Amino acid sequence: MTAPPRFTSSGASTRVVRRLASAGRDWRTIAVVLIVIVPATLFGSIILMTPSPSILFGGGAAENCAEAATGEAAADVSQTAEGDIPDDYLELYKKVGKQIGVQWNVLAAIGKRETNHGRSTLPGVRSGTNYAGAAGPMQFLISTWGGQAKMRIEPGVNGYASDGDGDGYGDVYNPADAILGAAKMLKRNGAPDDLRRAIFVYNRATWYVDQVLEIAKRYAATGDIAVPAEADPACDSGYVDSAPDEVVRKIIEYALAQRGKPYRWGGTGPDAFDCSGIIYMAYRNAGLTIPRTTFGQWPFGAKIEEGREQPGDLVFFNAGPGTAKDSPGHVGMVVSPGKMIEARCTLCGPIKISTYRDRPNIVGFTRPLENETVVAQLKRAQT
């Protein structure tokens, strides 16, 4: 670990327009940013751009994701951040934060606290490990990264090793790879909603959590840590990469692909689904058979204590016809801590990601993958 950070507003601040111009943005992009940011600066408030429907529902893929990251996060960068964070690191924090759906300034605060954005000369930053076995600009334990400092990224790789620059390898010393891995770790453990839990898992000390949150506030022009909008559907890695294994990854990929489709009672696709129908089909996409209805799914999975749920688990609600506390009538699928995908009702809008922790009628959580018949299905598939 590095010493506690010192904050400074000295040094030349890099202007957003110059950043955009140097990145090859055309005049239309620069004009949009000026229209959004300049009035916000003059009147002391930040106005965030709303993504277009093509971004929200999947058009444009990675290019739109990167552009949205630059435009949206640029409005919330303080002078402290611009003076303290190297340009290449700042762009990575913003891009990856948007891609995964976590706060860019929290990522940046961890990068500051760990290695001063890769500028520390202590052991383990550019090669080897420190006294605790941590390495790289975001200070991953090699075992947590995946067992090797640099490894080819292939399906089924365990750990947080990530390929942030598209070269096919996860290199713990590469800022693009390390920052992406850090974002995935935060996302899997509660970000963007439960930041204290997510940061505590990153480094299990309450003083560390307090320091990171304080730095993050200083890096935001608003002086606050806002919960970002959902990660763009064009950048589903925020949810997909939080899957604990390849089976859950297939389940979540199918469910996410149904966003925007309507609710239909009894629906199992391909054009519409009801709440249990989308879950039933998502598990079938992974080669697994579970009960079709909510009333059948509730007793089927192993009961999971609240707070221990993970992607692929089910969350049940005392809602809908014939429902009761011991016989829930509505179900959603957990995609990250506090978030689920659900087909809620005919008048509730299309299938979408929503927050479940603010619902007052949660009955409980289950894990279908721990049902003995599913375990047997998985074993057969592996032979």
Side-chain angles (χ1 to χ4, degrees):
M1 298 297 177
T2 60
R6 293 185 298 111
F7 297 101
T8 176
S9 59
S10 62
S13 296
T14 305
R15 297 299 171 201
V16 173
V17 172
R18 183 161 66 82
R19 289 182 186 277
L20 291 171
S22 65
R25 306 291 187 207
D26 62 22
W27 66 269
R28 289 168 296 183
T29 302
I30 297 173
V32 169
V33 174
L34 284 172
I35 290 170
V36 172
I37 296 177
V38 171
T41 303
L42 291 174
F43 293 100
S45 61
I46 299 299
I47 304 172
L48 298 181
M49 290 182 288
T50 302
S52 67
S54 64
I55 294 176
L56 289 174
F57 293 102
E63 182 178 352
N64 281 341
C65 175
E67 291 180 358
T70 301
E72 187 170 306
D76 195 31
V77 178
S78 68
Q79 289 185 351
T80 297
E82 290 210 355
D84 187 45
I85 305 173
D87 287 358
D88 54 345
Y89 272 73
L90 181 57
E91 291 304 313
L92 284 171
Y93 294 136
K94 293 189 294 183
K95 175 184 175 181
V96 171
K98 178 64 177 179
Q99 177 185 350
I100 301 301
V102 301
Q103 292 89 338
W104 75 267
N105 50 327
V106 173
L107 274 175
I110 289 175
K112 174 67 176 183
R113 182 62 189 82
E114 294 292 351
T115 68
N116 194 21
H117 311 299
R119 292 177 294 207
S120 172
T121 58
L122 292 174
V125 178
R126 295 178 179 84
S127 64
T129 64
N130 69 3
Y131 68 92
M138 303 303 281
Q139 292 291 278
F140 274 95
L141 295 174
I142 296 299
S143 59
T144 303
W145 183 250
Q148 303 175 52
K150 184 175 182 178
M151 56 193 300
R152 181 173 288 280
I153 301 301
E154 297 175 344
V157 170
N158 293 319
Y160 292 99
S162 303
D163 178 15
D165 59 2
D167 66 355
Y169 288 86
D171 184 348
V172 75
Y173 304 108
N174 182 333
D177 297 349
I179 292 170
L180 179 57
K184 292 177 183 178
M185 188 172 186
L186 291 174
K187 183 77 172 185
R188 185 175 294 182
N189 291 293
D193 300 282
D194 193 349
L195 284 177
R196 295 198 68 88
R197 177 179 185 272
I199 299 168
F200 185 81
V201 172
Y202 200 97
N203 189 334
R204 295 179 180 275
T206 55
W207 57 262
Y208 179 88
V209 176
D210 293 338
Q211 287 185 6
V212 166
L213 292 175
E214 180 60 27
I215 298 169
K217 291 176 183 178
R218 292 173 183 260
Y219 278 166
T222 57
D224 198 6
I225 306 174
V227 175
E230 294 295 338
D232 288 344
C235 314
D236 275 340
S237 59
Y239 294 116
V240 174
D241 289 341
S242 68
D245 55 47
E246 188 63 22
V247 173
V248 176
R249 183 186 184 94
K250 290 180 180 179
I251 293 169
I252 291 178
E253 282 179 334
Y254 181 91
L256 291 174
Q258 314 315 313
R259 279 175 298 183
K261 295 181 180 180
Y263 174 94
R264 182 183 300 149
W265 187 83
T268 55
D271 300 321
F273 299 80
D274 67 7
C275 65
S276 57
I278 185 175
I279 292 168
Y280 172 74
M281 293 303 295
Y283 272 78
R284 280 192 60 178
N285 183 63
L288 303 173
T289 300
I290 66 172
R292 160 65 186 88
T293 68
T294 305
F295 297 117
Q297 291 171 2
W298 167 242
F300 182 80
K303 298 297 188 292
I304 302 297
E305 182 182 348
E306 184 174 3
R308 296 185 178 275
E309 68 273 15
Q310 63 185 29
D313 291 346
L314 307 185
V315 52
F316 292 84
F317 302 86
N318 184 6
T323 189
K325 291 192 68 174
D326 58 351
S327 183
H330 180 60
V331 62
M333 181 192 296
V334 176
V335 293
S336 71
K339 300 287 185 180
M340 66 178 173
I341 185 165
E342 65 171 338
R344 190 169 184 179
C345 70
T346 304
L347 300 178
C348 299
I351 296 169
K352 61 186 177 182
I353 302 290
S354 58
T355 300
Y356 60 77
R357 285 182 177 158
D358 60 358
R359 301 276 185 91
N361 54 349
I362 294 178
V363 174
F365 300 83
T366 71
R367 185 166 297 157
L369 291 175
E370 291 187 2
N371 177 279
E372 60 183 10
T373 62
V374 174
V375 172
Q377 293 172 39
L378 288 169
K379 287 182 178 179
R380 286 196 298 270
Q382 294 171 357
T383 58

